[in-house]
């Protein structure tokens, strides 16, 4: 943009003189804001780490308590991730079904699970479902973990389903026609031709959703899953020291979300063989 | 091609003759008609796009369909392998109905190769994988057999060197030749060409027409929708002119280009010149 303006000297001179903000000034303001922000965050973090975090307490709670909480979250995330993507593909296929009934059911599913809070859905599953049995007879032990996986799967399958639907609709209809005209069935055409391309189209949205899924595990504290927020509350209420566990919680979440982002961008690169983006 | 299909694909040949004999009893098909359109009507909503079309294509015949845009040529072709449904009439391949509601479409489509105006190559697969997909998934060929055959076909369309390239790395003409190889890999009895050079830069048209000319010489049955009148005149055995969803002229290329029988044909030719 800058070049194209400087190609027309009269207007450039005019606008540089008349405007308060020219390109160079804008750049300097940007650097200044970023610098101030970095400084403020750095000072704050240094203060927290050196004056508020209690090293003795940190060592005491990092293992086993926070390690266990971290591993619990990781387990929920891995299982929830796989299940929600698998279920999301089913929902997405339902959304593009040629049968109106199937389409309507898939749409209704998405409306419900996107239209009510995940916290509400977790409450329905964890408190509502066992209450359908006579007291003490509900058959699933450690139901909190199971309910967590089910809740996250059902909720995120709705979002992933929409991402997959968008991905499928972005594949030109000629792709399905070419596959069908070779004699491939609808399922074969979907699997071999349409879905691999739809997957590539939907990958950024799916990755985004999976990062949100990681953070959504914080809601599991209300259904008694021993995850990171619960660990924070335990440590804070017994030691009256919020900052030591806060730092651990932050590190634990970032240890999952940052590698997850890397995995998604690796998958995006892998799904894009040479020259493909041009066609 | 023909020698291939008689030796390689016994199953296909069998089903073809079965179908032929079964229709003989109903007395509709004569043995030499490979593709038959019988009183076909097709609507898009209110629009009547094919009007009572009756047309037979003989084995080893190259039938060229021409006509102004919007005349229904492409629709006719797309109905022939049931990418479009027809509302009345019947379309048969080797005497077997492909338009019937209980037709085994996946099976019948294996015997019909289709090449599209916009190539429709699978962009996430290499040229070779584009060609092997059908034989592997539909005919159940092993990877090795399918690959060997695909390499032969790519060589035949002059693209042996480009086997590992992805569609996005190939020119339009190369992509279209891969698309032809992909269709041929199923050993079809008839090939449908839907304006296959219309999306190409002018200098790339020749290489695609050359491949089609070779195919015609080898005796492939072909239905060709095209605006390439040179090709129609040289390669076509028969020319059909469509206008407003009807067949208005059905004649030989020589006769059509010298002196069309109908006034529609004369006007169409005049517009070209």
């Amino acid at each position: 943009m800058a070049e194209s303006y400087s190609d027309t000297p009269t207007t450039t001179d005019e606008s540089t003189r008349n405007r308060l903000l020219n390109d160079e000034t804008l750049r300097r303001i940007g650097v200044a804001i970023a610098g101030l922000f970095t400084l403020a965050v750095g000072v704050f973090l240094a203060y927290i780490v050196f004056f508020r975090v209690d090293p003795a307490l940190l060592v005491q709670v990092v293992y086993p308590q926070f390690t266990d909480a971290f591993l619990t979250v990781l387990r929920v995330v891995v299982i929830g991730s796989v299940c929600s993507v698998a279920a999301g593909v089913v929902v997405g296929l339902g959304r593009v079904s040629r049968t109106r009934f199937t389409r309507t059911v898939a749409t209704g599913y998405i409306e419900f699970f996107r239209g009510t809070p995940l916290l509400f859905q977790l409450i329905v599953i964890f408190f509502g479902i066992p209450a359908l049995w006579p007291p003490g007879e509900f058959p699933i032990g450690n139901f909190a973990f199971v309910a967590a996986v089910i809740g996250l799967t059902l909720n995120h399958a709705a979002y992933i389903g929409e991402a997959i639907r968008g991905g499928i609709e972005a594949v030109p209809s000629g792709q399905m026609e070419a596959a069908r005209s070779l004699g491939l069935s609808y399922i074969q055409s979907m699997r071999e031709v349409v879905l691999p391309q739809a997957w590539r189209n939907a990958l950024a949205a799916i990755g985004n959703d999976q990062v949100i899924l990681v953070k959504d595990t914080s809601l599991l504290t209300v259904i008694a899953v021993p995850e990171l927020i619960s660990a924070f509350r335990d440590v804070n209420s017994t030691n009256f020291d919020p900052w030591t566990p806060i730092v651990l919680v932050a590190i634990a979440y970032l240890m999952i979300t940052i590698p997850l982002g890397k995995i998604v961008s690796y998958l995006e690169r892998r799904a894009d063989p040479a020259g493909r983006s041009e066609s | 091609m023909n020698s291939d299909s008689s030796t390689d694909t016994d199953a296909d040949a069998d089903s073809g003759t079965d179908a032929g004999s079964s229709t003989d009893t109903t007395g509709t098909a004569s043995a030499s008609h490979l593709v038959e359109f019988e009183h076909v009507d097709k609507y898009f909503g209110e629009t009547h796009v094919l009007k009572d079309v009756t047309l037979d294509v003989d084995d080893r015949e190259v039938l060229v369909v021409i006509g102004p845009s919007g005349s229904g040529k492409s629709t006719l072709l797309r109905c022939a392998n049931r990418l479009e449904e027809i509302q009345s009439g019947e379309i048969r391949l080797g005497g077997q109905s492909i338009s019937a509601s209980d037709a085994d479409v996946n099976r019948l489509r294996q015997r019909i190769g289709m090449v599209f105006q916009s190539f429709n190559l699978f962009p996430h697969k290499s040229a070779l994988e584009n060609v092997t997909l059908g034989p592997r998934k539909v005919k159940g060929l092993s990877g090795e057999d399918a690959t060997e055959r695909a390499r032969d076909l790519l060589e035949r369309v002059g693209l042996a060197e480009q086997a590992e390239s992805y569609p996005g790395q190939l020119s339009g003409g190369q992509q279209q030749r891969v698309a032809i190889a992909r269709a041929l890999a199923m050993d079809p009895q008839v090939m449908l060409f839907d304006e296959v050079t219309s999306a190409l830069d002018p200098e790339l048209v020749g290489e695609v027409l050359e491949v089609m000319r070779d195919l015609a010489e080898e005796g492939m049955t072909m239905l060709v929708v095209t605006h390439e009148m040179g090709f129609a005149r040289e390669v076509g055995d028969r020319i059909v002119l469509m206008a407003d969803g009807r067949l208005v002229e059905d004649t030989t290329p020589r006769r059509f280009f010298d002196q069309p029988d109908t006034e529609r044909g004369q006007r169409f030719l005049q517009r070209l010149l």
Side-chain angles (χ1 to χ4, degrees):
Chain A
M1 279 319 270
E3 280 79 5
S4 70
Y5 278 110
S6 58
D7 283 345
T8 51
T10 50
T11 55
T12 308
D13 289 352
E14 200 74 1
S15 60
T16 334
R17 256 202 310 277
N18 292 347
R19 285 199 193 135
L20 226 55
L21 189 62
N22 67 27
D23 291 354
E24 182 56 20
T25 323
L26 178 68
R27 191 188 69 83
R28 284 184 189 158
I29 291 173
V31 170
I33 294 174
L36 280 174
F37 179 78
T38 309
L39 187 69
V41 171
V43 167
F44 181 71
L45 280 181
Y47 169 72
I48 296 295
V49 169
F50 290 114
F51 297 99
R52 288 291 165 171
V53 170
D54 176 356
L57 179 62
L58 189 115
V59 171
Q60 183 199 323
V61 298
V62 78
Y63 186 86
Q65 193 168 11
F66 265 88
T67 308
D68 286 349
F70 173 77
L71 291 175
T72 301
V73 169
L74 197 60
R75 257 199 305 275
V76 172
V77 164
V78 170
I79 301 174
S81 229
V82 171
C83 293
S84 64
V85 170
V89 171
V90 174
V91 174
L93 285 172
R95 284 281 277 144
V96 299
S97 166
R98 296 160 299 176
T99 312
R100 182 197 291 263
F101 174 71
T102 312
R103 267 202 318 274
T104 310
V105 171
T107 308
Y109 176 91
I110 288 169
E111 296 293 355
F112 179 80
F113 282 98
R114 282 201 316 188
T116 59
L118 173 58
L119 185 53
F120 164 77
Q121 293 157 18
L122 289 169
I123 287 169
V124 170
I125 296 165
F126 183 69
F127 296 102
I129 300 296
L132 299 175
W133 271 258
E137 286 183 27
F138 186 63
I140 303 175
N142 189 16
F143 186 54
F145 185 85
V146 176
V149 168
I150 293 173
L152 288 170
T153 296
L154 292 178
N155 182 269
H156 283 269
Y159 290 94
I160 293 169
E162 277 299 86
I164 297 273
R165 176 191 63 83
I168 291 174
E169 284 174 355
V171 177
S173 58
Q175 291 289 309
M176 177 58 98
E177 289 181 353
R180 294 305 303 272
S181 70
L182 287 174
L184 269 71
S185 66
Y186 178 82
I187 295 176
Q188 287 176 318
S189 305
M190 268 290 174
R191 196 176 52 216
E192 299 291 333
V193 173
V194 177
L195 276 181
Q197 296 178 63
W199 176 253
R200 169 69 186 80
N201 296 338
L203 205 50
I206 292 173
N208 196 31
D209 175 79
Q210 296 297 293
V211 171
I212 297 173
L213 185 145
V214 174
K215 297 183 291 180
D216 277 350
T217 60
S218 60
L219 296 171
L220 302 178
T221 187
V222 298
I223 62 167
V225 173
E227 47 70 68
L228 291 160
I229 301 296
S230 308
F232 160 80
R233 286 210 291 220
D234 287 349
V235 173
N236 183 41
S237 57
T238 46
N239 301 281
F240 307 106
D241 172 2
W243 281 107
T244 304
I246 281 174
V247 168
L248 286 172
V249 169
I251 292 170
Y253 278 124
L254 293 174
M255 275 171 62
I256 303 178
T257 52
I258 291 175
L260 183 60
K262 301 261 183 248
I263 292 172
V264 172
S265 45
Y266 165 76
L267 287 175
E268 280 186 76
R269 261 178 288 127
R270 205 193 58 165
D272 196 6
R276 133 110 233 255
S277 39
E278 291 154 44
S279 53
Chain B
M1 259 334 282
N2 262 32
S3 62
D4 273 1
S5 53
S6 57
T7 52
D8 288 2
T9 55
D10 288 351
D12 276 2
D14 283 347
S15 61
T17 46
D18 281 358
S21 55
S22 72
T23 45
D24 279 347
T25 56
T26 61
T28 44
S30 94
S32 62
H33 291 161
L34 186 57
V35 185
E36 298 159 293
F37 296 81
E38 197 179 291
H39 300 296
V40 170
D41 280 283
K42 161 78 189 165
Y43 295 83
F44 284 123
E46 298 282 289
T47 323
H48 199 171
V49 283
L50 293 180
K51 298 170 182 162
D52 192 29
V53 172
T54 298
L55 177 69
D56 297 326
V57 187
D58 288 343
D59 196 17
R60 302 174 74 92
E61 187 175 35
V62 176
L63 177 80
V64 179
V65 185
I66 58 176
S69 53
S71 59
K73 324 180 284 294
S74 287
T75 308
L76 182 76
L77 222 58
R78 291 166 58 83
C79 289
N81 73 348
R82 208 166 165 176
L83 287 178
E84 304 287 352
E85 300 284 337
I86 61 174
Q87 274 68 49
S88 67
E90 190 171 37
I91 301 172
R92 288 183 294 268
L93 173 69
Q96 233 172 334
S97 175
I98 190 166
S99 56
S101 56
D102 62 346
D104 186 349
V105 194
N106 294 339
R107 211 177 156 69
L108 283 163
R109 279 182 181 141
Q110 297 174 38
R111 296 157 56 189
I112 309 169
M114 176 119 184
V115 185
F116 300 86
Q117 179 176 351
S118 49
F119 326 141
N120 296 348
L121 288 184
F122 309 131
H124 59 301
K125 293 183 183 293
S126 68
L128 190 71
E129 290 164 340
N130 265 275
V131 181
T132 56
L133 181 69
R136 280 194 301 116
K137 295 296 162 185
V138 181
K139 296 200 161 193
L141 252 63
S142 73
E144 283 165 39
D145 291 351
T147 303
E148 194 182 328
R149 173 117 176 76
R151 287 196 187 279
D152 287 348
L153 284 165
L154 285 174
E155 194 178 338
R156 198 162 131 194
V157 299
L159 291 172
E161 306 292 308
Q162 277 75 26
E164 316 302 331
S165 301
Y166 284 87
Q169 300 167 316
L170 300 174
S171 75
Q174 290 173 326
Q175 289 191 52
Q176 197 58 295
R177 286 185 281 152
V178 173
I180 293 173
R182 176 175 72 178
L184 290 175
M186 296 302 292
D187 288 320
Q189 293 174 295
V190 54
M191 287 281 285
L192 311 176
F193 293 89
D194 186 9
E195 298 196 30
V196 295
T197 57
S198 298
L200 295 175
D201 291 338
E203 75 270 22
L204 302 177
V205 168
E207 62 192 60
V208 173
L209 292 182
E210 200 178 317
V211 169
M212 291 168 66
R213 191 172 290 131
D214 290 347
L215 262 183
E217 274 166 20
E218 289 160 31
M220 173 61 77
T221 309
M222 295 163 63
L223 254 99
V224 185
V225 169
T226 188
H227 294 293
E228 295 291 332
M229 292 306 142
F231 178 87
R233 189 203 293 255
E234 284 170 48
V235 184
D237 295 318
R238 216 170 118 204
I239 285 204
V240 162
L241 174 68
M242 284 192 76
D244 299 327
R246 284 183 207 286
L247 294 186
V248 293
E249 190 143 347
D250 182 347
T251 179
T252 63
R254 176 178 302 192
R255 188 135 168 219
F256 180 79
F257 286 106
D258 284 353
Q259 182 60 45
D261 293 335
T262 62
E263 192 237 348
R264 266 325 277 248
Q266 287 161 18
R267 269 193 297 165
F268 181 78
L269 264 191
Q270 254 158 23
R271 225 168 304 152
L272 288 175
L273 302 174

